[in-house]
Amino acid sequence: RQMCIRDSLRNVLTKVVKSIGGNEEDVIKLINHSFAVSLDTSFAAHPNYMECSDPTCSPIINKGVVIKYDANMHYATTAFSSAVFQEACNRKNIPFQKAAANSDLRTGGTISAFMQTQVEIKCVEIGISTWAMHSHSAYESCGTADLCNLIGALKSFWLMRD
């Protein structure tokens, strides 16, 4: 099944490039010049669920956009992709924080980690801190400052040219 998904993404990219007069070399260039931002919420340090947080690297609500890492590679962030996103934040003085998934617990993972390994597109996993994900509550809380910072960071990233 994974082979089918990989082939489908590659086929779609190839068809798009060929539909505008490109060839296989142009597909390779497209992939090499692509950069994806995977956006999700992030587990904030929650006083009622401290055992679910990494003791040294858990995000805090209203302290900035979260760049997400996972030693088990369930997130697609690499040192390079993180540096690019940090630069986008720094250009606009937007606060960010780094979060490492607690390696004792399985994270949900995202399709971007799969996508990155299959078509070699650079990707960074980001989000804003929320409470309630640990218990999968019907309600999740986030900080309004984080949401405003996220919008600013995404705009800055989108406008980066160098």
Side-chain angles (χ1 to χ4, degrees), residues 123-144:
C123 183
V124 64
E125 303 268 352
I126 65 166
I128 56 175
S129 304
T130 60
W131 283 342
M133 286 184 65
H134 300 293
S135 59
H136 296 283
S137 170
Y139 298 99
E140 294 184 356
S141 301
C142 71
T144 54

Side-chain angles (χ1 to χ4, degrees), residues 74-138:
H74 295 126
Y75 296 139
T77 303
T78 64
F80 176 78
S81 65
S82 176
V84 169
F85 193 79
Q86 288 177 54
E87 176 61 20
C89 291
N90 287 334
R91 287 182 181 195
K92 297 295 182 181
N93 295 319
I94 295 169
F96 62 87
Q97 52 188 323
K98 298 175 183 179
N102 184 335
S103 59
D104 293 336
L105 301 172
R106 170 74 164 93
T107 61
T110 64
I111 194 165
S112 59
F114 174 77
M115 175 194 70
Q116 181 190 30
T117 62
Q118 300 303 312
V119 291
E120 301 174 11
I121 292 176
K122 294 171 283 298
C123 183
V124 64
E125 303 268 352
I126 65 166
I128 56 175
S129 304
T130 60
W131 283 342
M133 286 184 65
H134 300 293
S135 59
H136 296 283
S137 170

Side-chain angles (χ1 to χ4, degrees), residues 37 39 65 85 88 94 126 149-159:
V37 176
L39 179 59
V65 178
F85 193 79
I94 295 169
I126 65 166
N149 286 324
L150 174 65
I151 292 167
L154 291 171
K155 284 180 180 178
S156 178
F157 176 80
W158 184 258
L159 296 173

